[in-house]
Amino acid sequence: MNRRRLDRAVLAITAVVAAALLLWGADRFAHSSAESLVARELQRLTGVDEPPEVELSGEWFLLQALTGRYDRVEVGLRGASSGPLRVERLDARLSGVRLPPSELLRRDPGVLGVESATSRSVLTYADLDRYLDLTGRPFTVLPGSAPEQVTISGRAQVLGREVEVSADAVLGAESGALTVTPVRVETGTELDGAARVLLRQRLTFVVPLDPLPFGQQVTDVTAGDDGVVVETESGGLALQPR
């Protein structure tokens, strides 16, 4: 009798261990499958050359996969672009990502729903210079004396004259775009009032942040050592694959 009980106990333990291993394997499979699919779809959505870095967080990915809702997704993108503007690096945290189980199994989602998102992007000064050059403002942008400021330098045409210009400008945000507004303008040439007004207007510009797919509301803009850092947040996103 004792031998029979021992055999039953061993069999029960073996079954429990096997079930646990199967659940763990299914959980790992759901985790890796969802990560690779989200990475592929985000690459198609944003048009970046390299697949994004995607990391899913939370408990029991199999349960998340079955419900079609992922608690938190960390995303890292490089080289997102739209028109003449390129974003060197974008890091985002997506909460409540919706990916139905049927689409996970087919590996062909139609829409990635996101309940809320925050992001931090870096626009390098070289990319900003390129954007300005392509849009008719061949200036050089560098960090300013304060976190919210940059310096702008170059040559500008004013009323038929070409002048050297240097300016301190304040960074801001308006309607989901980056704004640059000069607060001090210096030239090596005396200019009349009208010329100075025109020059200040030429040094005032808006940079549309279309390459940022996860946030339309800009919460902070600062000038760092490597580039302009833009932080955003948003809620209720529906990311449409291209």
mmCIF file of all heavy atoms in Angstrom, residues 146-199:
data_model
loop_
_atom_site.group_PDB
_atom_site.id
_atom_site.type_symbol
_atom_site.label_atom_id
_atom_site.label_comp_id
_atom_site.label_asym_id
_atom_site.label_seq_id
_atom_site.Cartn_x
_atom_site.Cartn_y
_atom_site.Cartn_z
ATOM 1 N N ALA A 146 21.093 78.269 -21.514
ATOM 2 C CA ALA A 146 20.085 77.748 -20.582
ATOM 3 C C ALA A 146 19.430 76.525 -21.215
ATOM 4 O O ALA A 146 19.443 76.357 -22.438
ATOM 5 C CB ALA A 146 19.051 78.830 -20.269
ATOM 6 N N PRO A 147 18.848 75.629 -20.386
ATOM 7 C CA PRO A 147 18.259 74.395 -20.920
ATOM 8 C C PRO A 147 17.180 74.626 -21.972
ATOM 9 O O PRO A 147 16.975 73.780 -22.845
ATOM 10 C CB PRO A 147 17.675 73.711 -19.677
ATOM 11 C CG PRO A 147 18.472 74.246 -18.545
ATOM 12 C CD PRO A 147 18.801 75.653 -18.913
ATOM 13 N N GLU A 148 16.496 75.777 -21.888
ATOM 14 C CA GLU A 148 15.406 76.037 -22.836
ATOM 15 C C GLU A 148 15.856 76.874 -24.017
ATOM 16 O O GLU A 148 15.027 77.308 -24.803
ATOM 17 C CB GLU A 148 14.238 76.726 -22.125
ATOM 18 C CG GLU A 148 14.483 78.166 -21.703
ATOM 19 C CD GLU A 148 15.278 78.307 -20.408
ATOM 20 O OE1 GLU A 148 15.670 77.263 -19.844
ATOM 21 O OE2 GLU A 148 15.491 79.451 -19.975
ATOM 22 N N GLN A 149 17.170 77.076 -24.181
ATOM 23 C CA GLN A 149 17.657 77.940 -25.245
ATOM 24 C C GLN A 149 18.643 77.228 -26.162
ATOM 25 O O GLN A 149 19.312 76.275 -25.756
ATOM 26 C CB GLN A 149 18.347 79.178 -24.663
ATOM 27 C CG GLN A 149 17.406 80.175 -24.023
ATOM 28 C CD GLN A 149 18.122 81.466 -23.672
ATOM 29 O OE1 GLN A 149 19.328 81.584 -23.799
ATOM 30 N NE2 GLN A 149 17.358 82.448 -23.219
ATOM 31 N N VAL A 150 18.710 77.704 -27.397
ATOM 32 C CA VAL A 150 19.728 77.288 -28.367
ATOM 33 C C VAL A 150 20.344 78.550 -28.961
ATOM 34 O O VAL A 150 19.791 79.647 -28.846
ATOM 35 C CB VAL A 150 19.129 76.419 -29.501
ATOM 36 C CG1 VAL A 150 18.652 75.086 -28.966
ATOM 37 C CG2 VAL A 150 18.011 77.154 -30.234
ATOM 38 N N THR A 151 21.510 78.384 -29.586
ATOM 39 C CA THR A 151 22.104 79.480 -30.348
ATOM 40 C C THR A 151 22.015 79.134 -31.826
ATOM 41 O O THR A 151 22.186 77.976 -32.218
ATOM 42 C CB THR A 151 23.572 79.713 -29.957
ATOM 43 O OG1 THR A 151 24.340 78.538 -30.244
ATOM 44 C CG2 THR A 151 23.689 80.022 -28.483
ATOM 45 N N ILE A 152 21.744 80.142 -32.642
ATOM 46 C CA ILE A 152 21.607 79.968 -34.090
ATOM 47 C C ILE A 152 22.617 80.893 -34.761
ATOM 48 O O ILE A 152 22.731 82.071 -34.405
ATOM 49 C CB ILE A 152 20.184 80.327 -34.557
ATOM 50 C CG1 ILE A 152 19.146 79.518 -33.798
ATOM 51 C CG2 ILE A 152 20.030 80.087 -36.054
ATOM 52 C CD1 ILE A 152 17.719 79.957 -34.053
ATOM 53 N N SER A 153 23.346 80.367 -35.713
ATOM 54 C CA SER A 153 24.322 81.200 -36.414
ATOM 55 C C SER A 153 24.344 80.839 -37.893
ATOM 56 O O SER A 153 23.948 79.732 -38.288
ATOM 57 C CB SER A 153 25.717 81.015 -35.813
ATOM 58 O OG SER A 153 26.139 79.663 -35.915
ATOM 59 N N GLY A 154 24.813 81.790 -38.717
ATOM 60 C CA GLY A 154 24.906 81.566 -40.150
ATOM 61 C C GLY A 154 24.822 82.873 -40.910
ATOM 62 O O GLY A 154 25.026 83.954 -40.345
ATOM 63 N N ARG A 155 24.502 82.768 -42.175
ATOM 64 C CA ARG A 155 24.345 83.933 -43.032
ATOM 65 C C ARG A 155 22.898 83.994 -43.517
ATOM 66 O O ARG A 155 22.286 82.957 -43.793
ATOM 67 C CB ARG A 155 25.305 83.870 -44.221
ATOM 68 C CG ARG A 155 26.770 83.795 -43.811
ATOM 69 C CD ARG A 155 27.688 83.834 -45.023
ATOM 70 N NE ARG A 155 27.650 85.137 -45.695
ATOM 71 C CZ ARG A 155 28.379 86.186 -45.330
ATOM 72 N NH1 ARG A 155 29.191 86.109 -44.291
ATOM 73 N NH2 ARG A 155 28.302 87.329 -46.009
ATOM 74 N N ALA A 156 22.403 85.215 -43.601
ATOM 75 C CA ALA A 156 21.006 85.397 -44.005
ATOM 76 C C ALA A 156 20.886 86.550 -44.988
ATOM 77 O O ALA A 156 21.636 87.534 -44.913
ATOM 78 C CB ALA A 156 20.134 85.654 -42.786
ATOM 79 N N GLN A 157 19.927 86.411 -45.905
ATOM 80 C CA GLN A 157 19.617 87.469 -46.865
ATOM 81 C C GLN A 157 18.534 88.372 -46.279
ATOM 82 O O GLN A 157 17.454 87.912 -45.909
ATOM 83 C CB GLN A 157 19.123 86.856 -48.173
ATOM 84 C CG GLN A 157 20.176 86.130 -48.983
ATOM 85 C CD GLN A 157 21.081 87.102 -49.739
ATOM 86 O OE1 GLN A 157 20.747 88.275 -49.899
ATOM 87 N NE2 GLN A 157 22.226 86.605 -50.211
ATOM 88 N N VAL A 158 18.841 89.672 -46.195
ATOM 89 C CA VAL A 158 17.875 90.639 -45.675
ATOM 90 C C VAL A 158 17.848 91.858 -46.593
ATOM 91 O O VAL A 158 18.854 92.561 -46.728
ATOM 92 C CB VAL A 158 18.228 91.086 -44.233
ATOM 93 C CG1 VAL A 158 17.164 92.033 -43.697
ATOM 94 C CG2 VAL A 158 18.369 89.885 -43.322
ATOM 95 N N LEU A 159 16.711 92.074 -47.261
ATOM 96 C CA LEU A 159 16.544 93.222 -48.165
ATOM 97 C C LEU A 159 17.704 93.337 -49.155
ATOM 98 O O LEU A 159 18.278 94.414 -49.380
ATOM 99 C CB LEU A 159 16.411 94.513 -47.348
ATOM 100 C CG LEU A 159 15.200 94.596 -46.407
ATOM 101 C CD1 LEU A 159 15.206 95.896 -45.614
ATOM 102 C CD2 LEU A 159 13.907 94.446 -47.196
ATOM 103 N N GLY A 160 18.041 92.187 -49.757
ATOM 104 C CA GLY A 160 19.078 92.169 -50.772
ATOM 105 C C GLY A 160 20.497 92.153 -50.241
ATOM 106 O O GLY A 160 21.452 92.165 -51.033
ATOM 107 N N ARG A 161 20.674 92.143 -48.933
ATOM 108 C CA ARG A 161 22.004 92.102 -48.335
ATOM 109 C C ARG A 161 22.210 90.775 -47.623
ATOM 110 O O ARG A 161 21.283 90.228 -47.014
ATOM 111 C CB ARG A 161 22.170 93.250 -47.330
ATOM 112 C CG ARG A 161 22.060 94.628 -47.924
ATOM 113 C CD ARG A 161 22.052 95.670 -46.819
ATOM 114 N NE ARG A 161 23.271 95.620 -46.013
ATOM 115 C CZ ARG A 161 23.449 96.320 -44.895
ATOM 116 N NH1 ARG A 161 22.465 97.128 -44.462
ATOM 117 N NH2 ARG A 161 24.576 96.252 -44.230
ATOM 118 N N GLU A 162 23.420 90.256 -47.699
ATOM 119 C CA GLU A 162 23.771 89.042 -46.961
ATOM 120 C C GLU A 162 24.570 89.439 -45.727
ATOM 121 O O GLU A 162 25.578 90.136 -45.820
ATOM 122 C CB GLU A 162 24.591 88.085 -47.824
ATOM 123 C CG GLU A 162 24.838 86.744 -47.139
ATOM 124 C CD GLU A 162 25.579 85.761 -48.021
ATOM 125 O OE1 GLU A 162 26.800 85.964 -48.205
ATOM 126 O OE2 GLU A 162 24.936 84.817 -48.528
ATOM 127 N N VAL A 163 24.087 88.997 -44.543
ATOM 128 C CA VAL A 163 24.731 89.393 -43.290
ATOM 129 C C VAL A 163 25.031 88.162 -42.447
ATOM 130 O O VAL A 163 24.333 87.150 -42.514
ATOM 131 C CB VAL A 163 23.831 90.363 -42.481
ATOM 132 C CG1 VAL A 163 23.596 91.646 -43.254
ATOM 133 C CG2 VAL A 163 22.509 89.704 -42.124
ATOM 134 N N GLU A 164 26.093 88.266 -41.641
ATOM 135 C CA GLU A 164 26.386 87.258 -40.631
ATOM 136 C C GLU A 164 25.455 87.492 -39.442
ATOM 137 O O GLU A 164 25.250 88.638 -39.023
ATOM 138 C CB GLU A 164 27.837 87.358 -40.173
ATOM 139 C CG GLU A 164 28.853 86.942 -41.227
ATOM 140 C CD GLU A 164 28.988 85.421 -41.327
ATOM 141 O OE1 GLU A 164 28.415 84.727 -40.469
ATOM 142 O OE2 GLU A 164 29.644 84.963 -42.277
ATOM 143 N N VAL A 165 24.916 86.406 -38.914
ATOM 144 C CA VAL A 165 23.969 86.558 -37.817
ATOM 145 C C VAL A 165 24.250 85.528 -36.727
ATOM 146 O O VAL A 165 24.657 84.395 -37.003
ATOM 147 C CB VAL A 165 22.514 86.424 -38.323
ATOM 148 C CG1 VAL A 165 22.276 85.053 -38.933
ATOM 149 C CG2 VAL A 165 21.524 86.672 -37.197
ATOM 150 N N SER A 166 24.033 85.938 -35.485
ATOM 151 C CA SER A 166 24.104 85.052 -34.328
ATOM 152 C C SER A 166 22.937 85.396 -33.420
ATOM 153 O O SER A 166 22.662 86.584 -33.178
ATOM 154 C CB SER A 166 25.429 85.230 -33.585
ATOM 155 O OG SER A 166 25.442 84.452 -32.398
ATOM 156 N N ALA A 167 22.242 84.387 -32.927
ATOM 157 C CA ALA A 167 21.047 84.660 -32.131
ATOM 158 C C ALA A 167 20.893 83.648 -31.007
ATOM 159 O O ALA A 167 21.270 82.476 -31.140
ATOM 160 C CB ALA A 167 19.804 84.634 -33.020
ATOM 161 N N ASP A 168 20.354 84.133 -29.884
ATOM 162 C CA ASP A 168 19.884 83.262 -28.818
ATOM 163 C C ASP A 168 18.383 83.074 -29.024
ATOM 164 O O ASP A 168 17.658 84.060 -29.244
ATOM 165 C CB ASP A 168 20.136 83.878 -27.442
ATOM 166 C CG ASP A 168 21.616 84.008 -27.134
ATOM 167 O OD1 ASP A 168 22.396 83.176 -27.644
ATOM 168 O OD2 ASP A 168 21.987 84.934 -26.387
ATOM 169 N N ALA A 169 17.925 81.810 -28.966
ATOM 170 C CA ALA A 169 16.506 81.538 -29.230
ATOM 171 C C ALA A 169 15.936 80.632 -28.153
ATOM 172 O O ALA A 169 16.642 79.770 -27.600
ATOM 173 C CB ALA A 169 16.335 80.900 -30.605
ATOM 174 N N VAL A 170 14.670 80.823 -27.866
ATOM 175 C CA VAL A 170 13.965 80.040 -26.852
ATOM 176 C C VAL A 170 13.187 78.917 -27.522
ATOM 177 O O VAL A 170 12.515 79.133 -28.540
ATOM 178 C CB VAL A 170 13.010 80.942 -26.037
ATOM 179 C CG1 VAL A 170 12.182 80.096 -25.065
ATOM 180 C CG2 VAL A 170 13.790 81.991 -25.278
ATOM 181 N N LEU A 171 13.281 77.724 -26.952
ATOM 182 C CA LEU A 171 12.527 76.571 -27.440
ATOM 183 C C LEU A 171 11.150 76.546 -26.793
ATOM 184 O O LEU A 171 10.982 76.906 -25.624
ATOM 185 C CB LEU A 171 13.257 75.267 -27.109
ATOM 186 C CG LEU A 171 14.660 75.102 -27.699
ATOM 187 C CD1 LEU A 171 15.320 73.843 -27.132
ATOM 188 C CD2 LEU A 171 14.603 75.029 -29.219
ATOM 189 N N GLY A 172 10.166 76.093 -27.565
ATOM 190 C CA GLY A 172 8.820 75.963 -27.038
ATOM 191 C C GLY A 172 8.039 74.935 -27.825
ATOM 192 O O GLY A 172 8.585 74.230 -28.689
ATOM 193 N N ALA A 173 6.770 74.818 -27.525
ATOM 194 C CA ALA A 173 5.904 73.864 -28.221
ATOM 195 C C ALA A 173 4.562 74.523 -28.489
ATOM 196 O O ALA A 173 4.048 75.267 -27.650
ATOM 197 C CB ALA A 173 5.708 72.610 -27.398
ATOM 198 N N GLU A 174 4.022 74.239 -29.668
ATOM 199 C CA GLU A 174 2.732 74.801 -30.045
ATOM 200 C C GLU A 174 2.049 73.860 -31.025
ATOM 201 O O GLU A 174 2.612 73.539 -32.072
ATOM 202 C CB GLU A 174 2.920 76.171 -30.689
ATOM 203 C CG GLU A 174 1.624 76.873 -31.075
ATOM 204 C CD GLU A 174 1.874 78.247 -31.684
ATOM 205 O OE1 GLU A 174 2.710 78.982 -31.138
ATOM 206 O OE2 GLU A 174 1.240 78.544 -32.709
ATOM 207 N N SER A 175 0.863 73.378 -30.652
ATOM 208 C CA SER A 175 0.075 72.483 -31.510
ATOM 209 C C SER A 175 0.882 71.267 -31.959
ATOM 210 O O SER A 175 0.851 70.875 -33.126
ATOM 211 C CB SER A 175 -0.453 73.246 -32.735
ATOM 212 O OG SER A 175 -1.244 74.341 -32.333
ATOM 213 N N GLY A 176 1.627 70.680 -31.029
ATOM 214 C CA GLY A 176 2.374 69.473 -31.343
ATOM 215 C C GLY A 176 3.612 69.696 -32.172
ATOM 216 O O GLY A 176 4.152 68.747 -32.742
ATOM 217 N N ALA A 177 4.094 70.931 -32.250
ATOM 218 C CA ALA A 177 5.294 71.234 -33.028
ATOM 219 C C ALA A 177 6.317 71.936 -32.144
ATOM 220 O O ALA A 177 5.975 72.547 -31.122
ATOM 221 C CB ALA A 177 4.955 72.100 -34.228
ATOM 222 N N LEU A 178 7.583 71.847 -32.537
ATOM 223 C CA LEU A 178 8.664 72.534 -31.852
ATOM 224 C C LEU A 178 8.762 73.959 -32.383
ATOM 225 O O LEU A 178 8.798 74.170 -33.601
ATOM 226 C CB LEU A 178 9.979 71.792 -32.084
ATOM 227 C CG LEU A 178 11.273 72.464 -31.614
ATOM 228 C CD1 LEU A 178 11.305 72.547 -30.098
ATOM 229 C CD2 LEU A 178 12.487 71.708 -32.140
ATOM 230 N N THR A 179 8.803 74.948 -31.498
ATOM 231 C CA THR A 179 8.936 76.336 -31.910
ATOM 232 C C THR A 179 10.295 76.882 -31.462
ATOM 233 O O THR A 179 10.790 76.538 -30.396
ATOM 234 C CB THR A 179 7.820 77.213 -31.321
ATOM 235 O OG1 THR A 179 7.902 77.185 -29.883
ATOM 236 C CG2 THR A 179 6.458 76.709 -31.758
ATOM 237 N N VAL A 180 10.890 77.718 -32.293
ATOM 238 C CA VAL A 180 12.165 78.365 -31.990
ATOM 239 C C VAL A 180 11.985 79.858 -32.213
ATOM 240 O O VAL A 180 11.697 80.302 -33.335
ATOM 241 C CB VAL A 180 13.294 77.806 -32.884
ATOM 242 C CG1 VAL A 180 14.623 78.455 -32.519
ATOM 243 C CG2 VAL A 180 13.395 76.285 -32.756
ATOM 244 N N THR A 181 12.156 80.637 -31.145
ATOM 245 C CA THR A 181 11.890 82.070 -31.197
ATOM 246 C C THR A 181 13.108 82.839 -30.692
ATOM 247 O O THR A 181 13.523 82.665 -29.540
ATOM 248 C CB THR A 181 10.675 82.426 -30.323
ATOM 249 O OG1 THR A 181 9.560 81.603 -30.699
ATOM 250 C CG2 THR A 181 10.303 83.894 -30.486
ATOM 251 N N PRO A 182 13.703 83.711 -31.510
ATOM 252 C CA PRO A 182 14.897 84.455 -31.072
ATOM 253 C C PRO A 182 14.553 85.496 -30.007
ATOM 254 O O PRO A 182 13.516 86.151 -30.077
ATOM 255 C CB PRO A 182 15.397 85.106 -32.362
ATOM 256 C CG PRO A 182 14.191 85.199 -33.235
ATOM 257 C CD PRO A 182 13.343 84.015 -32.904
ATOM 258 N N VAL A 183 15.455 85.625 -29.017
ATOM 259 C CA VAL A 183 15.293 86.648 -27.993
ATOM 260 C C VAL A 183 16.426 87.672 -28.065
ATOM 261 O O VAL A 183 16.332 88.750 -27.475
ATOM 262 C CB VAL A 183 15.238 86.019 -26.584
ATOM 263 C CG1 VAL A 183 13.975 85.204 -26.428
ATOM 264 C CG2 VAL A 183 16.466 85.153 -26.313
ATOM 265 N N ARG A 184 17.501 87.331 -28.755
ATOM 266 C CA ARG A 184 18.612 88.259 -28.973
ATOM 267 C C ARG A 184 19.211 87.978 -30.335
ATOM 268 O O ARG A 184 19.505 86.835 -30.661
ATOM 269 C CB ARG A 184 19.696 88.070 -27.912
ATOM 270 C CG ARG A 184 20.888 89.018 -28.064
ATOM 271 C CD ARG A 184 22.080 88.544 -27.247
ATOM 272 N NE ARG A 184 22.562 87.232 -27.715
ATOM 273 C CZ ARG A 184 23.411 87.069 -28.720
ATOM 274 N NH1 ARG A 184 23.848 88.126 -29.411
ATOM 275 N NH2 ARG A 184 23.812 85.853 -29.073
ATOM 276 N N VAL A 185 19.365 89.006 -31.163
ATOM 277 C CA VAL A 185 19.917 88.853 -32.508
ATOM 278 C C VAL A 185 21.069 89.835 -32.674
ATOM 279 O O VAL A 185 20.913 91.034 -32.392
ATOM 280 C CB VAL A 185 18.841 89.104 -33.594
ATOM 281 C CG1 VAL A 185 19.455 88.949 -34.978
ATOM 282 C CG2 VAL A 185 17.678 88.137 -33.424
ATOM 283 N N GLU A 186 22.200 89.335 -33.122
ATOM 284 C CA GLU A 186 23.365 90.194 -33.363
ATOM 285 C C GLU A 186 23.881 89.973 -34.780
ATOM 286 O O GLU A 186 23.862 88.849 -35.289
ATOM 287 C CB GLU A 186 24.486 89.897 -32.360
ATOM 288 C CG GLU A 186 24.168 90.324 -30.937
ATOM 289 C CD GLU A 186 25.362 90.143 -30.017
ATOM 290 O OE1 GLU A 186 26.411 89.631 -30.482
ATOM 291 O OE2 GLU A 186 25.254 90.508 -28.832
ATOM 292 N N THR A 187 24.332 91.044 -35.388
ATOM 293 C CA THR A 187 24.951 90.967 -36.714
ATOM 294 C C THR A 187 26.232 91.804 -36.702
ATOM 295 O O THR A 187 26.418 92.656 -35.827
ATOM 296 C CB THR A 187 24.012 91.509 -37.814
ATOM 297 O OG1 THR A 187 23.854 92.915 -37.613
ATOM 298 C CG2 THR A 187 22.662 90.811 -37.774
ATOM 299 N N GLY A 188 27.070 91.561 -37.670
ATOM 300 C CA GLY A 188 28.275 92.374 -37.796
ATOM 301 C C GLY A 188 28.048 93.616 -38.613
ATOM 302 O O GLY A 188 29.004 94.336 -38.946
ATOM 303 N N THR A 189 26.780 93.893 -38.935
ATOM 304 C CA THR A 189 26.437 95.015 -39.802
ATOM 305 C C THR A 189 25.297 95.809 -39.184
ATOM 306 O O THR A 189 24.378 95.239 -38.584
ATOM 307 C CB THR A 189 25.998 94.502 -41.195
ATOM 308 O OG1 THR A 189 27.010 93.653 -41.716
ATOM 309 C CG2 THR A 189 25.755 95.660 -42.145
ATOM 310 N N GLU A 190 25.339 97.100 -39.316
ATOM 311 C CA GLU A 190 24.241 97.949 -38.852
ATOM 312 C C GLU A 190 23.021 97.744 -39.753
ATOM 313 O O GLU A 190 23.137 97.797 -40.981
ATOM 314 C CB GLU A 190 24.651 99.418 -38.870
ATOM 315 C CG GLU A 190 25.623 99.810 -37.778
ATOM 316 C CD GLU A 190 24.997 99.746 -36.396
ATOM 317 O OE1 GLU A 190 23.761 99.944 -36.309
ATOM 318 O OE2 GLU A 190 25.727 99.484 -35.422
ATOM 319 N N LEU A 191 21.882 97.516 -39.147
ATOM 320 C CA LEU A 191 20.636 97.326 -39.890
ATOM 321 C C LEU A 191 19.580 98.283 -39.376
ATOM 322 O O LEU A 191 19.539 98.603 -38.180
ATOM 323 C CB LEU A 191 20.132 95.881 -39.739
ATOM 324 C CG LEU A 191 21.031 94.752 -40.261
ATOM 325 C CD1 LEU A 191 20.415 93.411 -39.926
ATOM 326 C CD2 LEU A 191 21.243 94.877 -41.759
ATOM 327 N N ASP A 192 18.712 98.723 -40.300
ATOM 328 C CA ASP A 192 17.617 99.578 -39.850
ATOM 329 C C ASP A 192 16.519 98.734 -39.214
ATOM 330 O O ASP A 192 16.582 97.503 -39.183
ATOM 331 C CB ASP A 192 17.073 100.412 -41.008
ATOM 332 C CG ASP A 192 16.540 99.554 -42.157
ATOM 333 O OD1 ASP A 192 16.155 98.395 -41.907
ATOM 334 O OD2 ASP A 192 16.507 100.066 -43.296
ATOM 335 N N GLY A 193 15.488 99.401 -38.716
ATOM 336 C CA GLY A 193 14.428 98.706 -37.997
ATOM 337 C C GLY A 193 13.720 97.655 -38.824
ATOM 338 O O GLY A 193 13.454 96.540 -38.358
ATOM 339 N N ALA A 194 13.396 97.981 -40.081
ATOM 340 C CA ALA A 194 12.684 97.031 -40.943
ATOM 341 C C ALA A 194 13.518 95.792 -41.206
ATOM 342 O O ALA A 194 13.009 94.664 -41.180
ATOM 343 C CB ALA A 194 12.310 97.718 -42.259
ATOM 344 N N ALA A 195 14.815 95.979 -41.452
ATOM 345 C CA ALA A 195 15.698 94.834 -41.712
ATOM 346 C C ALA A 195 15.804 93.938 -40.490
ATOM 347 O O ALA A 195 15.842 92.708 -40.599
ATOM 348 C CB ALA A 195 17.065 95.336 -42.145
ATOM 349 N N ARG A 196 15.852 94.548 -39.300
ATOM 350 C CA ARG A 196 15.943 93.748 -38.075
ATOM 351 C C ARG A 196 14.668 92.932 -37.844
ATOM 352 O O ARG A 196 14.725 91.797 -37.395
ATOM 353 C CB ARG A 196 16.229 94.652 -36.875
ATOM 354 C CG ARG A 196 17.666 95.150 -36.825
ATOM 355 C CD ARG A 196 18.022 95.744 -35.476
ATOM 356 N NE ARG A 196 19.456 95.941 -35.378
ATOM 357 C CZ ARG A 196 20.320 95.005 -35.008
ATOM 358 N NH1 ARG A 196 19.879 93.799 -34.695
ATOM 359 N NH2 ARG A 196 21.607 95.270 -34.945
ATOM 360 N N VAL A 197 13.518 93.549 -38.158
ATOM 361 C CA VAL A 197 12.252 92.808 -38.025
ATOM 362 C C VAL A 197 12.232 91.614 -38.971
ATOM 363 O O VAL A 197 11.851 90.496 -38.589
ATOM 364 C CB VAL A 197 11.060 93.748 -38.287
ATOM 365 C CG1 VAL A 197 9.767 92.928 -38.408
ATOM 366 C CG2 VAL A 197 10.933 94.772 -37.170
ATOM 367 N N LEU A 198 12.647 91.812 -40.212
ATOM 368 C CA LEU A 198 12.665 90.729 -41.192
ATOM 369 C C LEU A 198 13.660 89.634 -40.778
ATOM 370 O O LEU A 198 13.385 88.444 -40.942
ATOM 371 C CB LEU A 198 13.018 91.281 -42.573
ATOM 372 C CG LEU A 198 11.958 92.155 -43.239
ATOM 373 C CD1 LEU A 198 12.506 92.761 -44.528
ATOM 374 C CD2 LEU A 198 10.700 91.342 -43.538
ATOM 375 N N LEU A 199 14.800 90.049 -40.251
ATOM 376 C CA LEU A 199 15.789 89.068 -39.827
ATOM 377 C C LEU A 199 15.268 88.241 -38.659
ATOM 378 O O LEU A 199 15.453 87.020 -38.628
ATOM 379 C CB LEU A 199 17.088 89.785 -39.438
ATOM 380 C CG LEU A 199 18.263 88.876 -39.021
ATOM 381 C CD1 LEU A 199 18.616 87.901 -40.130
ATOM 382 C CD2 LEU A 199 19.468 89.727 -38.641
#
